[in-house]
Amino acid sequence: MEEFKLSGRTVRIARLLKNVQIKKVAAMTGIAEDYLSKIERGVTGANVTYRNHFRLLRALRELGYTDAQIGVLTILVENIKEKEEQTV
């Protein structure tokens, strides 16, 4: 079984679907806004620690997402990323 890994891109899409500004998620998680922006954009060097990973999961739950919804968003984002990579 694969380990679940929440991507920054998934966090960004989930945040945008709820129409929440990055500033609010940064405040909810205690992650600096500029660093969170790098995580969401997948900037090299912006690795998500386990601690921040759980902070982000908790924030998504506080925004009203269930674990199942987060899982579905993750799968969709991964599939979109794979399709984009195939067309390049």
Side-chain angles (χ1 to χ4, degrees):
M1 177 180 237
E2 271 188 59
E3 180 180 324
F4 175 76
K5 181 91 170 165
L6 182 66
S7 74
R9 196 170 180 183
T10 301
V11 173
R12 182 169 197 265
I13 290 171
R15 177 178 64 76
L16 292 173
L17 286 170
K18 294 285 186 172
N19 199 27
V20 174
Q21 293 186 357
I22 195 168
K23 185 179 285 193
K24 180 175 180 176
V25 176
M28 292 169 73
T29 59
I31 300 172
E33 192 175 334
D34 61 331
Y35 186 65
L36 181 55
S37 174
K38 287 179 183 179
I39 291 171
E40 285 188 352
R41 291 181 284 129
V43 173
T44 305
N47 295 324
V48 181
T49 63
Y50 280 114
R51 184 178 188 175
N52 286 342
H53 184 263
F54 289 111
R55 286 176 173 178
L56 289 167
L57 279 172
R58 186 176 56 226
L60 292 180
R61 289 177 183 136
E62 288 176 18
L63 291 176
Y65 286 102
T66 65
D67 290 344
Q69 290 171 324
I70 294 169
V72 168
L73 278 174
T74 299
I75 291 168
L76 289 172
V77 167
E78 287 175 5
N79 286 335
I80 290 168
K81 185 177 179 182
E82 286 177 17
K83 295 289 184 191
E84 289 175 346
E85 290 171 354
Q86 291 174 357
T87 60
V88 173

